[in-house]
Amino acid sequence: MSGGVAVEDLVVFVGDGAEAGGGAGGGAAAVAGGGVGPVLPMREAAVNVADLAVTRGDGVFESIGVIDGRFIELPRHLARLKHSSAMLDLPEPDVEAFERAARLALAAHAPQRELLVKLLHSRGIEGADRASGWVQVLAGTDHSAARSTGIRVVTLDRGYRHDIAQTSPWLLQGAKTLSYALNKAALREAARRDADDVIFVSTDDVVLEGPTSNVVVRHGDVFRTPRPDLGILAGTTQAAVFETLGALGFETAEAVITPAELATADGLWLLSSGRLLAPVRELDGRPLPVDADFTRTLLERTFGL
Ligand code: PLP
């Protein structure tokens, strides 16, 4: 590998992926037998224009936080990649190959306190009947301000009822699909409303999730998160933080939560793999209490940050 590779964002193709990528390296991408490789700088990695990930957003992904070279919650991410793939009737991803690719790419990257590793599993090139996949290592955004001083959040109507996963499973709620255009649109709407992020609410007044995060609300010593059967993504960060809260002696619960309950919270956070824990300091223009010390304790005990 050339010396230049290690300082850039990197890509590794997964599977018999000569067809999936190749870029400057052409088709001879896959490491024989291993189904993984090689490591390429992002600018040299190419996905076929006919790949359904590109043309239809027809695939699934995971974003995994890395702190001091350690993957955060890797088994939960791999399990969710499999689960999302099953929901989309995709070929089962070779999670061992994905893990090997992730470790290979991470080892090649210049060390940084925080990095983000993305796994993408696509239905592949239209008509080829073969999945494609790749792993990216990205230098993480600096989330220190969001984690300490907190974020401003608006609630937005998600446009469906809380029971959508049961009534309309073909809408794929709860799968981490590549189709994130509306999630990004919601974040732009937040910016238009002078806020940093969004909490989606169902048409029948149930708190759901953020466009890229889960909600955790505190009342006294009880911490609750929306139930995963409410058409939301089951969060790996939320699961890890609930383990810490349990170990600290707090009560935790998956629940049906109303927006009115958020307004009276003793603490409210958005949880996600890159940013980890962001306390909400303002909800729909009204201030909420932020306990910076407690958030720091959770970050340290859960993620060693
Ligand atoms: N909900 C949605 C819609 C997401 O996209 C994400 C993560 O990107 C989450 C929740 C949080 O999941 P995790 O903590 O596993 O990153």
Side-chain angles (χ1 to χ4, degrees), residues 19-21 46-56 124-126 134:
E19 300 82 357
V47 172
N48 192 300
V49 293
D51 194 294
L52 286 159
V54 178
T55 57
R56 303 279 188 193
I125 295 166
E126 186 127 36
W134 56 95

Side-chain angles (χ1 to χ4, degrees), residues 188-258:
R188 290 195 299 277
E189 179 61 24
R192 277 192 286 275
R193 297 180 187 206
D194 199 27
D196 307 303
D197 214 322
V198 170
I199 293 177
F200 284 129
V201 176
S202 71
T203 50
D204 50 356
D205 219 29
V206 171
V207 174
L208 300 174
E209 63 186 339
T212 61
S213 61
N214 290 105
V215 175
V216 169
V217 61
R218 174 179 194 172
H219 288 96
D221 285 345
V222 182
F223 292 75
R224 293 181 302 152
T225 195
R227 266 179 11 207
D229 66 346
L230 298 172
I232 65 172
L233 197 69
T236 63
T237 317
Q238 173 269 315
V241 167
F242 268 29
E243 283 172 6
T244 303
L245 288 167
L248 290 170
F250 293 104
E251 188 182 330
T252 59
E254 295 172 340
V256 175
I257 301 165
T258 63

Side-chain angles (χ1 to χ4, degrees), residues 62-140:
E62 286 294 322
S63 293
I64 310 170
V66 175
I67 297 174
D68 294 332
R70 281 178 293 112
F71 285 102
I72 304 298
E73 297 297 321
L74 182 60
R76 281 193 167 110
H77 282 286
L78 293 173
R80 196 170 63 187
L81 189 73
K82 259 193 187 175
H83 176 72
S84 297
S85 300
M87 285 182 74
L88 270 70
D89 304 314
L90 285 167
E92 186 174 323
D94 180 347
V95 291
E96 280 157 26
F98 270 101
E99 180 171 348
R100 271 203 310 283
R103 292 193 186 283
L104 183 67
L106 185 61
H109 200 283
Q112 286 189 18
R113 184 89 214 265
E114 292 186 52
L115 289 166
L116 202 63
V117 174
K118 284 193 171 193
L119 319 181
L120 290 98
H121 180 57
S122 156
R123 202 176 301 278
I125 295 166
E126 186 127 36
D129 201 21
R130 190 183 312 127
S132 58
W134 56 95
V135 168
Q136 283 173 270
V137 185
L138 304 150

